[in-house]
């Protein structure tokens, strides 16, 4: 499948795939974590060199992984959020993205939102108990507190 065919398909479904379209159209030449012909290989992507971390949001324990680029003391940090998969942060694509961004010199924080993966479930199942914005805020606060050298570039 050619690059123009991929762009055409994505442009028809732009509202649903806006984030992916932006990633591919702006970084296709640099992004080598996978090629469309190799999507099947994603299921074999492992965590690589990452640190398992925990932090708290609204009294719930959230679990994540942090990837730091080799040999760099100052670097920008990307916080990756998963979709509504039961696997949370452990979806193979999330792992592949984390490793590729790390290879490109970024630090990466990916974590399970409340109610997903290894993170705690809310006590009740109301819309208010799934405050994912608070989870993201807690993740950014954790990065700022534990890695102050990257606080300006999250």
């Amino acid at each position: 499948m050619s690059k123009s065919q991929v762009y055409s398909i994505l442009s028809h479904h732009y509202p649903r795939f806006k984030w992916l379209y932006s990633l591919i159209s702006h970084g296709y030449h640099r992004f080598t974590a996978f090629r469309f012909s190799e999507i099947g290989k994603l299921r074999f992507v492992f965590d690589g060199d990452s640190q398992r971390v925990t932090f708290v949001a609204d009294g719930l324990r959230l679990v994540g992984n942090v990837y730091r680029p080799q040999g760099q003391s100052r670097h920008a940090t990307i916080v990756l959020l998963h979709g509504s998969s039961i696997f949370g942060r452990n979806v193979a694509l999330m792992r592949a993205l984390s490793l590729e961004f790390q290879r490109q010199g970024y630090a990466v924080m990916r974590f399970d939102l409340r109610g997903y993966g290894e993170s705690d479930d809310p006590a009740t199942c109301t819309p208010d108990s799934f405050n994912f914005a608070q989870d993201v805020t807690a993740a950014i606060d954790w990065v700022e507190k534990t890695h102050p050298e990257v606080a300006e570039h999250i």
Side-chain angles (χ1 to χ4, degrees):
M1 182 177 287
S2 73
K3 191 186 316 184
S4 62
Q5 289 172 318
V6 171
Y7 289 160
S8 176
I9 291 168
L10 290 175
S11 67
H12 285 94
H13 301 286
Y14 184 76
R16 291 175 59 200
F17 297 106
K18 182 178 178 181
W19 65 272
L20 182 60
Y21 181 78
S22 297
L23 178 68
I24 292 170
S25 64
H26 296 295
Y28 186 86
H29 63 285
R30 289 182 52 214
F31 199 76
T32 58
F34 62 91
R35 298 281 185 230
F36 289 100
S37 62
E38 298 177 348
I39 289 285
K41 295 179 183 177
L42 284 177
R43 66 177 167 245
F44 301 113
V45 176
F46 299 101
D47 279 332
D49 185 21
S50 70
Q51 172 190 4
R52 187 175 186 275
V53 299
T54 61
F55 55 97
V56 176
D58 290 339
L60 299 170
R61 181 185 59 89
L62 304 179
V63 180
N65 291 83
V66 173
Y67 299 76
R68 298 188 73 163
Q70 300 298 322
Q72 296 183 22
S73 60
R74 298 186 62 81
H75 42 267
T77 301
I78 297 171
V79 177
L80 284 178
L81 303 175
H82 61 79
S84 57
S85 166
I86 60 169
F87 301 109
R89 77 182 194 286
N90 288 320
V91 171
L93 179 59
M94 295 289 289
R95 292 178 184 166
L97 288 170
S98 299
L99 291 170
E100 178 61 17
F101 285 132
Q102 179 188 35
R103 187 188 68 75
Q104 290 186 21
Y106 295 95
V108 178
M109 159 70 136
R110 67 178 169 87
F111 68 97
D112 290 325
L113 296 164
R114 63 183 71 194
Y116 288 92
E118 295 179 68
S119 292
D120 289 345
D121 294 331
T124 61
C125 287
T126 64
D128 291 337
S129 26
F130 288 92
N131 185 357
F132 298 131
Q134 182 59 40
D135 296 352
V136 175
T137 301
I140 292 170
D141 290 346
W142 183 89
V143 170
E144 288 176 337
K145 189 182 305 178
T146 58
H147 303 290
E149 71 277 8
V150 300
E152 297 176 24
H153 306 287
I154 298 175

